[in-house]
Amino acid sequence: MHYLLKRTLLVTGATLFSSGMVYAQTPDLSDPPEIDGATVEDHGSVTLRMGLGLAESSPQYISSRYFADILNQRTEGRINVNIFPNSQLGDDVQMMEMLQTGTLDMTYPSSSPATGYVEELAVFDLPFLLPTREAAIEAMRSDAAQEMLDAFDGTGLKALAFSENGFRQLSNSVREVTSPEDVAGMDVRGLSIRTMENPVHLAIWEALGANPTPMAFGELFSAMEQGVVDGQENPWSTILTSNFYEVQDYGSETRHVYTPFIKMISERTWDSLAPEYQELVQEAALQAADYEIQLSAEYDDWAREQLEERGMQITRLDDEQIAAFQEAVQPVYDEWAPRIGEDLVAEFQQIAESSKTE
Ligand code: TK8
């Protein structure tokens, strides 16, 4: 049976359907892999509190439930994970700070706001660098990426695994966007676009002639609703599951950045766990990450179709149109590649190239 239906009554979008109605408006999601592996010896009961930015219908939440199930099953119920979705405990930046002080055990930010801890992560923010999911997965599994996770040691945050937030797409409430000129507005004002709290993203939207405003994700819906910003950019799955389509009429399939998520645990919490529990948490994080990447891929086109059905006007861009965006953001490379490290950027470009020719 469908994993979602087994777990709980989950729906995408705003409507909660009651039983008897068609309530599973979800893509045909894969079940997670069977949980196997030996039961871990009793090292006491542990409850982990995990805060998430996204909604219950997101791949982030669904794969976190799987993470919780693995821990629970392999400890015969001794490790429990309580998940708090929807940015209810705070946004990515706040939750990372809570992990540092030990007031929250786990969270799961985008890599972009984590560049404050590990600068090299900004390589993922370079526009149009990783064109396919295959290239992105290879980049996330590279030794260079593992070094980025290791570099969190001593910050108060332990980074366990990369997983997928996804390819970012532009949405706005003002006009159809097919070119950088549409973003900048020729005789009308440029679009005001919310960005993540990350300097490369700010540079991207400045280069495109927008009026960018960094803002916490949890404030974004009401900022768009009240017209504080015209638009934002996130994967289709988020635009759907966070109900952004209710306040955004236009979408453009720009795929301008692939954003990873990073599963994190507080170093304090980590240090308090028995080594066997640590091993299990690490293993489960990697398994849940794989499952999330798969769910995320399954969501992509489906979420876009759902958004169209719900009245959003979505524009696909052809190669020439994408090339115009790529050209406009070239200054971002000139400014940021030397700061991030030319070698690292070249390594990721190499990964991207080889994924194209495969
Ligand atoms: C969720 C965020 C979000 C990100 C953003 O916590 O802020 O736009 O893409 O999904 O990590």
Side-chain angles (χ1 to χ4, degrees):
M1 192 188 170
H2 200 290
Y3 184 61
L4 281 186
L5 306 190
K6 260 189 306 203
R7 303 298 322 170
T8 171
L9 201 151
L10 278 176
V11 289
T12 58
T15 330
L16 193 67
F17 297 88
S18 54
S19 64
M21 296 178 70
V22 190
Y23 61 86
Q25 290 209 351
T26 53
D28 200 8
L29 298 176
S30 303
D31 285 339
E34 288 290 321
I35 300 170
D36 55 17
T39 303
V40 173
E41 215 181 292
D42 185 354
H43 293 283
S45 293
V46 175
T47 299
L48 299 172
R49 293 168 74 243
M50 178 193 263
L52 302 180
L54 300 183
E56 286 92 334
S57 45
S58 66
Q60 187 185 50
Y61 181 87
I62 300 166
S63 64
S64 296
R65 290 293 299 260
Y66 177 53
F67 173 78
D69 286 349
I70 297 171
L71 296 187
N72 196 270
Q73 199 167 309
R74 293 195 50 198
T75 58
E76 291 175 331
R78 283 186 284 269
I79 301 185
N80 280 294
V81 184
N82 292 342
I83 308 173
F84 300 86
N86 278 316
S87 310
Q88 61 183 277
L89 301 183
D91 61 66
D92 287 354
V93 172
Q94 291 164 336
M95 289 195 285
M96 282 188 279
E97 287 167 4
M98 289 166 77
L99 259 57
Q100 288 182 290
T101 56
T103 48
L104 179 65
D105 299 306
M106 297 193 74
T107 192
Y108 206 154
S110 290
S111 59
S112 315
T115 55
Y117 299 94
V118 175
E119 285 174 352
E120 290 77 13
L121 283 170
V123 68
F124 285 102
D125 298 307
L126 289 172
F128 302 104
L129 180 58
L130 299 168
T132 61
R133 178 169 284 107
E134 291 65 40
I137 292 171
E138 207 181 317
M140 292 190 292
R141 304 265 157 84
S142 66
D143 291 345
Q146 183 58 48
E147 281 167 26
M148 294 175 208
L149 298 184
D150 296 343
F152 278 91
D153 286 2
T155 61
L157 302 166
K158 174 150 183 75
L160 298 167
F162 280 103
S163 69
E164 171 164 326
N165 184 348
F167 285 104
R168 306 183 78 83
Q169 325 282 8
L170 176 65
S171 75
N172 84 92
S173 60
V174 180
R175 55 182 173 255
E176 187 187 14
V177 171
T178 60
S179 67
E181 288 74 27
D182 293 332
V183 176
M186 296 308 270
D187 4 296
V188 284
R189 70 179 173 83
L191 296 175
S192 60
I193 301 293
R194 172 272 178 178
T195 70
M196 289 189 286
E197 294 158 284
N198 172 283
V200 183
H201 280 258
L202 207 56
I204 293 172
W205 293 97
E206 267 161 11
L208 290 169
N211 177 11
T213 312
M215 187 187 291
F217 182 79
E219 290 161 25
L220 179 52
F221 185 90
S222 59
M224 292 190 294
E225 193 175 36
Q226 291 161 18
V228 176
V229 292
D230 300 320
Q232 63 85 48
E233 37 85 62
N234 254 300
W236 294 133
S237 59
T238 299
I239 297 173
L240 178 68
T241 60
S242 291
N243 301 331
F244 291 171
Y245 63 89
E246 290 175 7
V247 290
Q248 300 277 276
D249 291 339
Y250 304 96
S252 299
E253 194 151 58
T254 49
R255 292 169 65 93
H256 51 279
V257 171
Y258 177 94
T259 306
F261 277 131
I262 303 179
K263 291 177 192 291
M264 295 181 180
I265 186 165
S266 160
E267 269 185 347
R268 292 186 189 212
T269 308
W270 179 257
D271 291 342
S272 73
L273 296 175
E276 290 81 355
Y277 281 6
Q278 288 181 343
E279 226 170 276
L280 177 61
V281 166
Q282 176 64 73
E283 198 183 319
L286 290 168
Q287 288 171 344
D290 284 343
Y291 181 48
E292 177 170 27
I293 292 169
Q294 186 182 347
L295 287 180
S296 201
E298 290 168 3
Y299 248 87
D300 243 4
D301 290 346
W302 177 83
R304 188 190 55 211
E305 281 161 27
Q306 282 297 308
L307 291 168
E308 282 177 326
E309 270 178 36
R310 290 163 201 227
M312 211 170 157
Q313 182 186 323
I314 294 184
T315 308
R316 269 73 151 186
L317 304 177
D318 62 29
D319 291 351
E320 220 170 288
Q321 288 168 320
I322 291 291
F325 279 93
Q326 281 174 313
E327 202 182 315
V329 296
Q330 193 50 48
V332 179
Y333 278 83
D334 302 340
E335 184 189 349
W336 281 94
R339 295 169 75 167
I340 294 166
E342 304 276 10
D343 289 352
L344 180 58
V345 176
E347 188 180 334
F348 273 40
Q349 274 165 337
Q350 185 55 46
I351 290 173
E353 274 310 310
S354 55
S355 89
K356 268 185 227 159
T357 52
E358 258 163 31

